[in-house]
Amino acid sequence: MPERLAPRAARKTPLPGAGPGDLTPLHVLRSLDTTPRGLTEQDATDRLALHGPNTLPAHRTVSWPVRLVRSLRDPFTAVLLVLGLVSAAVASWGTACVILTLVAVSCVLRSHGEHRAENAVRHLRELVASTATVRRRDTADAEPRTRETPVDELVPGDVIRLGPGDLVPADVRLLRAHGLTVDQSALTGESVPVAKTASDLPEPEGGAADGAFTPPHRCFQGSSVASGSAAAVVVATGADTRFAAAHTGPGPRASTAFDRSVHGISWVLIRFMLITPPLVLMANAALRGRGLETLPFAVAVAVGLTPEMLPVIVTTCLARGAALLARTHGVIVRRLPALHDLGAVDVLCVDKTGTLTRDRPEVAGAHDAAGRESPDVLRWAAANAWWTLQLADLPAPDALDEALLDAVDPEEAMAYDGVAALPFTPERRVSTAVVRTPGALGEHTLIVKGAVESVVERCALTDGEREKVLTHAGRQAAAGLRVIAVATAERQARTGEYTPAVERGLTLRGLVAFRDALAPGADHALAGLAERGVTVKVLTGDHPATAARACRDLGLDPGDVVGADRIDALTDEELAALAATTTVFARCTPEHKARITAALRGHGHTTGFLGDGVNDLPALRAADVGICPRGGVEVARESADVVLADKDLTAIGHAIAGGRHSSGNIATYLRITLSSNLGNVIAMLAAGLLLPFLPMLPVQVLVQNLCFDAAQLAFAHDRPAPAATHRPTVLRPRSFLRFITGFGLLGALTDLATFGALALTAGAWGDAAAFHSGWFTENLLAQALVILLLRTGPRPAPGPLRAAAAALAAIGVLLPLTPLGGPLGLTSLPLPYYGLLTGILAVYALVLVGVRGRVVQP
């Protein structure tokens, strides 16, 4: 007798694929130290204390204050906060209020997104039963009693009963089953109930939708009984179940492509911003004898480098893009930064079933025993399917029978008079329909179909004929087809019941081959993704040949298919290198899918993953963008970043294009605002060393930046260059640095030319108000030109952008002339200055147009 209660670490039930679930029922009962009569109440109590309640692992909720503090870990947000506090310390209240408000908005938005992700775990509870029918004994010698027990009191070794409509309360191994089919859609996304049996049978040829849930003698927590009944022994509870293992929880998520891009650009800005104020203070102290009175100006210079409206611009562009996707393509973006990540996606990981193929097979062809095409074989098979369904009182045809009935005219399937039927059983692996033989009174015809090996062994064939048929079937299976055999036999009519004993001495009619029905439009969607620079990786639980066949039928070269056994033998680095060159991974468990997705991501790719079941949760969270169709289980939808109206690759193509559209507009904003700001800062530093007064007051810097940034909100309505949607959108810090440095220096030269114009026409070197006014006007006019000329989209610019540029120019010219100019330290200027300024800006515009086409866009 095994030890009654070994230490928990030694008794922990392995996940499907090894362990008690793959042993015979007797071995399982012995390994769990139980019997078909169930546990005693004392045993159950002891095991409950050892294993804990059968509940999902709890997740500690993070409070809102903690979330807000965590949001400040973002480098850009942290620097803005420091600048805001410094501005407040030097009494620059306008600057401080604007910056601190933007920091608060950014923190609230980030915290709200984390809160929504954390709520996803609550929906898991709705998929778990509340009570279970358990068989237990009061003492070892007492008769067992069947009673309802709370699910959280189930322990490994409990014997339970399952009936139609029951939720499976734990991971179980079937002991007995009668007509049992289980709905595993919450786990695998399969829409068709799966047949389960207590027998130890090999996995069906062709695989299944998810290798983790294929064992026919195992049922898993989170699934439900569609039909039939069963007795089973509990092998895993609580955190040890496949259901719990598949859900990684809403813990900290790895940084996405959006996070990495923004962080990279933020650190470039941080370096400038940290160096600039000390340089300004030291230069003014050394050359002009100014002390801390220049601190507000130094802070203003640092703020001048900062795109204060970046959070607002990003949110506006992404929100508009998300609204357009929802309205035109039924794509819901649940996390706005995910839209940018979609634009950067260069690898998309998908399952085969339901994405590339429909969740059902179709007839690929029928051949006689000699290998010739034969419609008669298909008609015999359809007649078997029809009369088995009618006479065996089955609730619905299985997938293969349904494909047979779809492939022939209904009248052909019903052309015979049915007499009796022997339905398919896992032990026999065949089904038999008995019909009256046309034109022969007193004779019946047996129509037998099923697994090729099982049918052939019932036929009157020589060894050579049998080997030839099996070889032909093997070639078709290797080509990714699922094959059944069809045979018939004539028998004298009988009044008694037909039994499996009559299935002997049959005449082989031929073979029927099935393939996965291709998803409509999947081939065009794959071609469209390839045109956009997106590589599709197929991660499936199916047989390698089946997956490869579906890919070839869709025009996707499968290359060398990699199986799960090879994945297990690789390190993370080796897997990353293999994943970069492999298109199809077969026999994948949920852990394999998550590991492959993470490996691709770690190799520098921006990855998307399309999944719809609980088993897909690890991979959904491992990807930069988790994508789930609306028909997926609720917990998968809640964990996904993007929800599709249908499981359709075409919709993903539209979503990626929408993401690149929005990302292109954000990139345009960053290019323009950073190059313009850098040019202004360089000019400020130069003027600060030459002038006896500050070249621009802090309040003027703030007003100028806010006007410029507000005008750039119109970029949300821009149309990026068509080429931008045909490649992944990545914000590369080095490319941005080259761009903003080149055009920043060009802008600084324009500012220096303006200083000369001011000296010639307004005597501005001795008049602070005139200098401030002239430079303020030139800045806004130059920025209006930059908005129109440095964008990369088609010409002319859309109406909102032209209006924004016109408004910016009007403010630059008119504000110094209005009563509002006085409080800001601005005044009117002589007309000759405007003439010179027009010439300077015309040259600037010509240079911008000439240089723009030669500069590599970031």
Side-chain angles (χ1 to χ4, degrees):
M1 176 71 67
E3 184 183 355
R4 290 184 63 82
L5 287 174
R8 185 175 185 183
R11 294 174 54 86
K12 185 171 181 178
T13 303
L15 293 175
D22 293 318
L23 305 175
T24 65
L26 180 59
H27 283 111
V28 173
L29 292 171
R30 286 179 176 175
S31 68
L32 295 170
D33 193 13
T34 186
T35 72
R37 303 172 71 225
L39 298 172
T40 65
E41 293 293 349
Q42 185 59 48
D43 279 345
T45 301
D46 293 342
R47 296 187 187 200
L48 185 62
L50 177 66
H51 292 273
N54 179 34
T55 57
L56 294 172
H59 179 76
R60 186 175 62 181
T61 302
V62 179
S63 64
W64 270 98
V66 173
R67 286 199 192 95
L68 289 172
V69 172
R70 287 180 179 176
S71 300
L72 295 175
R73 291 182 296 186
D74 173 72
F76 188 72
T77 304
V79 169
L80 278 179
L81 177 62
V82 170
L83 288 176
L85 294 176
V86 171
S87 299
V90 298
S92 183
W93 302 113
T95 304
C97 288
V98 171
I99 293 177
L100 293 177
T101 298
L102 293 173
V103 168
V105 170
S106 176
C107 290
V108 169
L109 290 175
R110 182 183 293 267
S111 300
H112 178 64
E114 291 179 358
H115 174 69
R116 291 181 63 183
E118 198 169 73
N119 283 341
V121 74
R122 299 178 185 174
H123 298 285
L124 283 171
R125 315 279 177 187
E126 300 173 6
L127 298 175
V128 180
S130 58
T131 63
T133 305
V134 182
R135 191 177 177 88
R136 284 185 182 170
R137 298 168 287 158
D138 293 330
T139 64
D141 298 327
E143 288 298 316
R145 293 184 297 110
T146 301
R147 61 185 178 86
E148 291 293 314
T149 298
V151 164
D152 58 6
E153 295 180 9
L154 284 182
V155 295
D158 265 327
V159 175
I160 65 172
R161 289 182 178 177
L162 297 172
D166 287 345
L167 293 174
V168 179
D171 286 0
V172 301
R173 204 287 184 201
L174 296 176
L175 302 176
R176 297 185 305 277
H178 178 70
L180 183 66
T181 60
V182 175
D183 181 359
Q184 296 186 154
S185 59
L187 301 172
T188 67
E190 294 176 281
S191 60
V192 179
V194 178
K196 297 287 185 177
T197 175
S199 302
D200 299 309
L201 294 174
E203 184 179 337
E205 190 69 27
D210 195 298
F213 300 98
T214 55
H217 45 272
R218 295 291 300 270
C219 294
F220 302 92
Q221 185 182 51
S223 57
S224 61
V225 178
S227 64
S229 60
V233 60
V234 175
V235 296
T237 59
D240 295 334
T241 64
R242 169 64 64 178
F243 187 70
H247 186 263
T248 59
R253 183 172 184 167
S255 61
T256 64
F258 179 81
D259 298 327
R260 294 191 296 271
S261 298
V262 172
H263 284 196
I265 294 169
S266 297
W267 282 112
V268 171
L269 294 176
I270 287 169
R271 294 186 183 98
F272 279 106
M273 293 160 64
L274 292 178
I275 293 172
T276 301
L279 287 178
V280 173
L281 289 175
M282 288 188 295
N284 277 275
L287 299 179
R288 293 294 178 182
R290 300 170 187 152
L292 290 178
E293 67 271 15
T294 60
L295 182 58
F297 175 69
V299 172
V301 171
V303 172
L305 279 170
T306 309
E308 298 96 336
M309 296 289 285
L310 179 61
V312 179
I313 295 285
V314 168
T315 301
T316 302
C317 289
L318 295 180
R320 187 171 187 274
L324 286 173
L325 282 175
R327 185 166 61 249
T328 58
H329 302 295
V331 176
I332 306 300
V333 180
R334 299 186 63 255
R335 185 178 63 86
L336 282 183
L339 188 57
H340 173 274
D341 295 337
L342 272 172
V345 162
D346 60 347
V347 174
L348 177 65
C349 299
V350 302
D351 194 3
K352 177 184 72 68
T353 305
T355 306
L356 304 181
T357 62
R358 290 189 282 181
D359 205 4
R360 64 178 182 83
E362 65 181 7
V363 173
H367 300 83
D368 61 19
R372 297 184 296 267
E373 241 183 86
S374 174
D376 288 340
V377 175
L378 185 58
R379 285 193 286 269
W380 283 117
N384 172 286
W386 172 258
W387 288 112
T388 302
L389 176 64
Q390 299 302 315
L391 299 177
D393 197 25
L394 298 179
D398 69 14
L400 295 184
D401 284 351
E402 192 169 11
L404 288 169
L405 295 174
D406 287 342
V408 301
D409 190 295
E411 293 184 0
E412 294 180 345
M414 296 181 288
Y416 307 94
D417 292 331
V419 175
L422 299 173
F424 179 93
T425 64
E427 294 80 14
R428 292 164 47 244
R429 301 185 71 191
V430 298
S431 64
T432 299
V434 183
V435 300
R436 290 187 175 88
T437 304
L441 293 175
E443 288 191 12
H444 289 169
T445 299
L446 276 62
I447 310 172
V448 181
K449 70 171 174 60
V452 177
E453 298 85 350
S454 300
V455 173
V456 166
E457 71 181 14
R458 290 167 167 81
C459 293
L461 297 172
T462 65
D463 289 342
E465 291 171 334
R466 184 177 293 107
E467 185 63 28
K468 183 178 179 181
V469 172
L470 293 177
T471 300
H472 178 57
R475 284 197 299 267
Q476 289 188 300
L481 297 174
R482 188 169 181 180
V483 185
I484 65 170
V486 183
T488 63
E490 307 298 327
R491 296 286 188 267
Q492 289 295 319
R494 61 166 66 179
T495 56
E497 289 186 357
Y498 279 87
T499 66
V502 302
E503 299 168 343
R504 291 291 182 269
L506 308 177
T507 300
L508 182 66
R509 291 292 181 175
L511 305 178
V512 180
F514 301 85
R515 65 186 173 204
D516 289 329
L518 302 180
D523 52 346
H524 297 296
L526 288 173
L529 289 170
E531 290 177 359
R532 292 187 172 98
V534 178
T535 302
V536 174
K537 306 287 185 182
V538 181
L539 315 183
T540 178
D542 278 358
H543 190 280
T546 305
R549 175 63 183 247
C551 291
R552 283 193 295 268
D553 289 346
L554 290 168
L556 180 65
D557 183 8
D560 294 329
V561 180
V562 174
D565 53 347
R566 186 175 173 189
I567 298 172
D568 293 333
L570 299 175
T571 64
D572 290 343
E573 292 75 13
E574 292 170 337
L575 179 59
L578 178 65
T581 58
T582 300
T583 300
V584 180
F585 292 88
R587 298 295 196 196
C588 291
T589 66
E591 287 73 22
H592 289 136
K593 294 179 181 181
R595 191 175 169 217
I596 293 166
T597 303
L600 287 165
R601 191 175 177 187
H603 205 253
H605 295 285
T606 302
T607 60
F609 182 87
L610 174 63
D612 56 5
V614 172
N615 61 313
D616 292 320
L617 289 175
L620 284 169
R621 294 191 59 79
D624 287 285
V625 187
I627 308 169
C628 179
R630 186 171 55 189
V633 297
E634 186 168 8
V635 66
R637 293 198 309 271
E638 289 295 327
S639 296
D641 303 305
V642 177
V643 177
L644 308 177
D646 298 297
K647 198 172 183 180
D648 181 9
L649 286 179
T650 303
I652 297 180
H654 292 312
I656 289 174
R660 293 178 181 178
H661 187 125
S662 297
S663 297
N665 289 340
I666 294 171
T668 299
Y669 161 77
L670 286 170
R671 283 198 303 270
I672 290 176
T673 193
L674 293 180
S675 59
S676 180
N677 287 355
L678 180 62
N680 282 339
V681 167
I682 293 173
M684 279 186 193
L685 294 175
L689 299 177
L690 299 174
L691 297 173
F693 50 81
L694 293 179
M696 189 171 288
L697 300 178
V699 67
Q700 294 167 351
V701 174
L702 181 63
V703 170
Q704 173 185 287
N705 285 355
L706 288 180
C707 288
F708 187 32
D709 287 335
Q712 291 185 96
L713 285 173
F715 278 122
H717 300 271
D718 197 11
R719 299 183 302 276
T725 62
H726 289 89
R727 65 178 187 273
T729 305
V730 181
L731 307 179
R732 298 183 178 88
R734 289 187 179 180
S735 298
F736 267 94
L737 185 58
R738 289 196 300 269
F739 188 97
I740 66 176
T741 301
F743 283 96
L745 289 173
L746 181 59
L749 291 175
T750 304
D751 289 339
L752 293 176
T754 301
F755 296 166
L758 284 169
L760 291 174
T761 60
W765 289 100
D767 187 345
F771 186 90
H772 294 160
S773 301
W775 194 17
F776 182 88
T777 297
E778 182 267 341
N779 265 333
L780 293 190
L781 290 175
Q783 288 167 347
L785 286 175
V786 164
I787 286 177
L788 296 176
L789 298 179
L790 281 190
R791 57 180 292 273
T792 60
R795 309 290 167 175
L801 207 58
R802 296 198 303 272
L808 191 62
I811 292 173
V813 173
L814 299 178
L815 185 61
L817 307 178
T818 66
L820 294 176
L824 295 177
L826 302 176
T827 187
S828 59
L829 294 166
L831 287 177
Y833 166 71
Y834 293 104
L836 285 178
L837 179 60
T838 300
I840 291 171
L841 292 178
V843 173
Y844 179 50
L846 290 174
V847 175
L848 281 180
V849 172
V851 175
R852 181 188 62 207
R854 298 186 177 91
V855 176
V856 177
Q857 300 294 339

